[in-house]
Amino acid sequence: MTLPPHEIWMKRAIALAERGRFCVSPNPMVGACVVSKGKLVGSGFHEKFGGPHAEPHALAQAGKKAKGATLYVTLEPCATWQKTPPCAPLIKEKGIREVVIGCLDPNPLNHGKGVRFLREQGITVTIGILEDEIRRQNEGFFKTMTAKRPFVTLKMAQTLDGKIATREGFSRWISSPLSRKFVHKLRASHDAVLVGKNTFCQDDPRLTVPKGSSSLAAGKPWKIVMISAQGWSRKARIFEDNRLTILVFSEKELKTIVKKTETQKGTLMLLPVKEKRGRIEVRELLKKLASLGVTKLLVEGGGELAWSFLEAGCVDRAFWILAPKVFGGRNAKTSVEGFGVRTPEEAFLFKTDKVMRSGDDWIFEGSFHKK
């Protein structure tokens, strides 16, 4: 089936926007196409954080052909000065006749202002072309703008009987080699990866991503580790590469942690966070990470960490890897621990969006909600 012209050109703009992934965060990925008499005369995308937006690139390429043309742009053109000049006045200046917008900008500083300016200048504006696709592409940006926290993905790998380690604490490997490759790619699609202090101490993770990944060129994903003064390891493998490592710990341990990390090699940032009932306050942590520019966060680790994020209502997506193995053991760690719910009626319900086969494993992708 042939798509309508607006959708054809918007799909092209979305593909252009994707080229900015890893380079523009915490800004959104944006693509733009200038079309005159049914032909593409200019295109561009937001290439790097702090750099020109997609529209100036596309309009510059179009040159004089922009006059009387239609501009397709995935996100509402900005109408206010921020790091760069506003795009809406430039669109008017270049003589664009019509602007087709995929989605309004969720940023309160600009929401609706670009559209209002363009219409006041007599430019025809159409909104909402492939909006859902654009929201998914920029889910981290939208979540940060609307909820003041990153979009959080929880990843868990467990056996059929819900175990994430044997009774002796061994967990390598629960999932198949193919599933581990899947997780490496999943990490590379996020700004940062977070592990709990138990995972840090027991598994000594490296938080590997595929070699040659575009994310590595941008220094991503950052590695975030929840630690304690007692569980500190100067020789942990997480410090082996040059990506930023953020150490999260209780505010009351600040002096001790500073002393322990004085001679630590690697690029480090210390992030003290308040505690609640002996646990790091999840919402405060996420707010601080958002302020650092983290828009998409992957949470890996143990059952205590998983419960903390579920209890806080801060899991937007989950990938549950189910391996065809049984560990048994009443003392073996399970995938979700913490306090747990009181009655079955209070259970977190998992809505499955996709099921994938991965070697001998099954991967369930979905989201949690309550009745």
Side-chain angles (χ1 to χ4, degrees):
M1 184 176 71
T2 304
L3 293 173
H6 278 355
E7 292 190 14
I8 290 174
W9 291 115
M10 191 59 72
K11 277 194 171 291
R12 183 146 188 171
I14 291 170
L16 282 165
E18 190 63 29
R19 294 171 64 180
R21 190 175 289 278
F22 308 121
C23 303
V24 301
S25 183
N27 281 355
M29 291 169 277
V30 182
C33 297
V34 181
V35 178
S36 179
K37 298 177 182 178
K39 294 184 179 180
L40 182 70
V41 296
S43 63
F45 65 97
H46 185 30
E47 298 178 4
K48 63 180 180 178
F49 178 73
H53 292 178
E55 299 93 324
H57 287 301
L59 292 168
Q61 192 177 96
K64 294 181 179 180
K65 293 179 181 179
K67 189 172 183 178
T70 298
L71 172 68
Y72 290 85
V73 60
T74 57
L75 199 67
E76 177 183 11
C78 59
T80 56
W81 273 87
Q82 294 183 52
K83 290 184 178 63
T84 58
C87 296
L90 180 64
I91 293 169
K92 167 64 177 176
E93 178 187 323
K94 297 298 182 181
I96 290 292
R97 175 182 58 84
E98 180 182 13
V99 178
V100 180
I101 300 168
C103 187
L104 289 177
D105 190 341
N107 188 338
L109 293 175
N110 192 56
H111 182 77
K113 293 179 182 178
V115 169
R116 185 163 57 250
F117 174 88
L118 294 171
R119 285 176 172 163
E120 287 173 352
Q121 303 304 312
I123 298 171
T124 301
V125 179
T126 302
I127 308 167
I129 305 301
L130 301 181
E131 180 174 348
D132 289 345
E133 193 170 335
I134 292 160
R135 283 178 173 272
R136 284 194 298 272
Q137 185 179 54
N138 284 299
E139 58 193 5
F141 176 72
F142 275 82
K143 178 61 70 172
T144 304
M145 285 294 111
T146 57
K148 308 304 179 187
R149 68 166 177 84
F151 184 96
V152 176
T153 299
L154 174 64
K155 169 250 139 184
M156 186 61 67
Q158 68 171 55
T159 62
L160 284 176
D161 56 339
K163 306 299 184 183
I164 59 172
T166 69
R167 60 186 172 86
E168 297 293 335
F170 298 111
S171 59
R172 294 199 181 107
W173 293 105
I174 290 174
S175 56
S176 68
L178 201 60
S179 294
R180 296 198 292 275
K181 287 184 179 180
F182 170 83
V183 172
H184 291 172
K185 291 180 180 179
L186 184 64
R187 289 171 183 161
S189 67
H190 288 75
D191 292 321
V193 182
L194 168 68
V195 296
K197 55 188 176 184
N198 291 335
T199 299
F200 173 66
C201 294
Q202 295 171 14
D203 293 353
D204 193 19
R206 289 184 296 176
L207 302 182
T208 310
V209 296
K211 291 182 179 179
S213 171
S214 299
S215 63
L216 286 176
K220 299 287 184 71
W222 293 344
K223 300 163 292 182
I224 306 175
V225 186
M226 299 179 77
I227 65 167
S228 66
Q230 292 75 27
W232 175 250
S233 173
R234 194 180 304 278
K235 296 181 180 179
R237 298 192 302 170
I238 207 162
F239 304 115
E240 290 178 357
D241 66 48
N242 292 324
R243 284 178 290 149
L244 175 65
T245 301
I246 300 176
L247 304 180
V248 178
F249 51 90
S250 170
E251 286 181 336
K252 64 185 181 183
E253 292 192 305
L254 178 58
K255 289 184 179 179
T256 305
I257 295 297
V258 168
K259 187 174 181 179
K260 282 181 175 288
T261 58
E262 282 178 339
T263 58
Q264 179 64 50
K265 294 181 179 179
T267 308
L268 298 182
M269 176 184 289
L270 303 185
L271 189 62
V273 180
K274 293 178 182 178
E275 280 189 337
K276 184 178 181 181
R277 292 183 297 179
R279 296 168 179 265
I280 292 294
E281 177 52 58
V282 169
R283 288 187 174 274
E284 187 198 354
L285 169 60
L286 292 177
K287 184 178 180 180
K288 287 189 173 185
L289 292 178
S291 71
L292 294 174
V294 176
T295 64
K296 290 188 69 177
L297 175 69
L298 178 64
V299 175
E300 298 189 50
E304 295 292 338
L305 188 65
W307 171 256
S308 293
F309 275 81
L310 282 171
E311 185 184 34
C314 295
V315 177
D316 301 297
R317 178 186 294 124
F319 287 92
W320 226 261
I321 302 173
L322 188 61
K325 300 173 182 176
V326 173
F327 284 174
R330 65 176 60 89
N331 296 321
K333 293 291 186 180
T334 58
S335 53
V336 182
E337 296 190 331
F339 294 109
V341 299
R342 187 174 58 88
T343 66
E345 289 74 21
E346 296 174 307
F348 289 89
L349 304 179
F350 186 77
K351 179 186 176 184
T352 305
D353 296 323
K354 187 186 298 184
V355 181
M356 300 165 276
R357 194 69 190 267
S358 180
D360 292 330
D361 304 336
W362 290 94
I363 300 178
F364 295 82
E365 177 184 353
S367 57
F368 286 99
H369 64 281
K370 283 204 166 192
K371 290 183 180 179

